[in-house]
Amino acid sequence: MFLGVDGGGTKTAFCLLRSDGSIAGQSVAPSSYYFSEGIDLVTRVLEEGIGAVCTTAGVTPAGIDFAFFGLPTYGEVSGDVATLGAAPRDILGHDRYRVDNDMVCGWSGSLGAADGINVISGTGSMTYGERAGRGHRVGGWSELFGDEGSAYWIAARGLQAFSRMSDGRDPAGPLLDVLREHLELSADLDLIDVVVNRWQGGRGQIAALCPQVVIAAERGDDAATAILHDAARELALLVDTTRRQLGYGADDQVLVSYSGGTFNAAQVRAEFQAHLHKLHDRYDLRRPLYSPVVGAALYAAKQAGSPLDADALERLRTTPTATAA
């Protein structure tokens, strides 16, 4: 029995996986993103979620062979690493677990814990890859000076394009009317009131405008199209940098997958693939196999030295609740 935990900014997901590829139980608890509420939040969330998933499966924490906890921001605040690493111990009653950043869940889910690279483009962006037991991260430096190719990055440049079009510094395009309608602007300058005053520059609210930039591009907006093109190029660069950092050779085939809402846009996916193959002609781009929480459970099995075999992985793929969107 392997426990996977995928922490996030909106929820924390739990999955108990059997070695035959069947799911014994799943549960959802509140977000484990603790910066606003304090680090004790993590323990409370883990207690709630582990208790619920064990009850569903009819087991106790002692019956879990190994667990993997993917927690948001893990590794980004050095002083918190020891506390986060110790948080599951008292809840489980044993040390058969590992804690790391939730980026590992996305990688493991997308590729079935196989060697390769996963690129994440949601509110933020980064890559994580593993090769021969060695992992490496690129990106994820925050929206203030990083997260290139992310939903926030795309939306922020869309807002900039709106302001330039409204002023007449750039030619007007469909993006103007798309954002006017979506944000119900009485006047273009009301954009400042919405984003700066009402939203207080909120990261998630700004990132949620990414689909509007995609809509504008679909309607033929040149500026929006260029933004998506640049986003795809930045995401491909994250992958290629990860490939080189992991030591892949010029002739090595590299598995690549993706996760995050930005990849819902067909133009982003297509241009991302095109940019990838310009950088390295041996990339094998694949659709995500499993959800991040299932990926966490697969990684737990791998860390325990008992990775699921091909039959178990195939059974898992046919489980509707386990497949990635």
Side-chain angles (χ1 to χ4, degrees):
M1 195 80 74
F2 305 106
L3 173 65
V5 180
D6 175 38
T10 57
K11 64 181 175 64
T12 302
F14 299 75
C15 176
L16 267 175
L17 181 65
R18 300 185 184 94
S19 58
D20 65 357
S22 62
I23 292 177
Q26 297 187 87
S27 69
V28 176
S31 168
S32 47
Y33 186 84
Y34 64 90
F35 280 175
S36 60
E37 296 190 40
I39 201 166
D40 289 345
L41 171 71
V42 176
T43 300
R44 296 196 299 271
V45 169
L46 296 184
E47 284 179 340
E48 177 183 334
I50 292 173
V53 76
C54 284
T55 298
T56 300
V59 300
T60 65
I64 297 171
D65 292 282
F66 204 89
F68 176 75
F69 297 84
L71 300 180
T73 76
Y74 182 89
E76 297 172 9
V77 181
S78 296
D80 290 347
V81 167
T83 301
L84 293 173
R89 185 173 295 115
D90 289 341
I91 305 169
L92 293 175
H94 56 76
D95 290 322
R96 300 188 302 275
Y97 70 88
R98 180 180 168 189
V99 181
D100 208 323
N101 192 281
D102 60 323
M103 66 186 178
V104 178
C105 305
W107 160 78
S108 182
S110 69
L111 292 173
D115 281 3
I117 301 166
N118 182 61
V119 56
I120 304 165
S121 181
T123 302
S125 68
M126 68 173 70
T127 53
Y128 178 76
E130 286 200 9
R131 178 173 181 252
R134 175 173 168 250
H136 191 78
R137 162 184 171 164
V138 174
W141 288 93
S142 88
E143 72 277 9
L144 293 179
F145 47 86
D147 285 349
E148 295 87 351
S150 68
Y152 181 97
W153 190 90
I154 290 169
R157 277 150 188 77
L159 293 173
Q160 183 182 57
F162 179 97
S163 71
R164 296 179 66 87
M165 290 179 190
S166 179
D167 283 346
R169 288 177 284 160
D170 286 340
L175 181 65
L176 278 174
D177 286 336
V178 168
L179 286 177
R180 284 167 179 163
E181 180 180 347
H182 179 73
L183 296 173
E184 300 179 343
L185 302 177
S186 299
D188 286 356
L189 282 173
D190 286 346
L191 183 68
I192 299 172
D193 180 47
V194 172
V195 176
V196 178
N197 297 329
R198 299 185 210 171
W199 294 356
Q200 295 289 301
R203 179 172 179 257
Q205 290 160 304
I206 292 173
L209 294 177
C210 178
Q212 305 308 312
V213 179
V214 174
I215 290 171
E218 291 171 345
R219 294 181 184 177
D221 190 288
D222 290 339
T225 298
I227 290 168
L228 297 184
H229 174 88
D230 290 346
R233 186 184 64 229
E234 292 286 353
L235 295 171
L237 180 59
L238 288 172
V239 171
D240 203 54
T241 303
T242 309
R243 173 184 67 85
R244 289 186 279 106
Q245 294 288 350
L246 286 172
Y248 281 100
D251 296 326
D252 290 335
Q253 185 180 62
V254 185
L255 296 184
V256 177
S257 193
Y258 51 85
S259 54
T262 303
F263 286 102
N264 290 333
Q267 180 178 341
V268 173
R269 292 196 309 272
E271 295 209 23
F272 170 69
Q273 184 170 14
H275 282 299
L276 267 186
H277 291 297
K278 289 178 184 176
L279 295 168
H280 181 65
D281 62 5
R282 297 281 287 160
Y283 282 124
D284 182 359
L285 182 61
R286 301 185 178 186
R287 288 175 56 86
L289 290 171
Y290 311 102
S291 66
V293 68
V294 171
L298 289 173
Y299 199 61
K302 185 174 183 177
Q303 291 296 304
S306 304
L308 270 64
D309 62 24
D311 290 340
L313 289 171
E314 182 59 32
R315 178 175 185 176
L316 187 58
R317 288 190 64 185
T318 63
T319 304
T321 56
T323 54

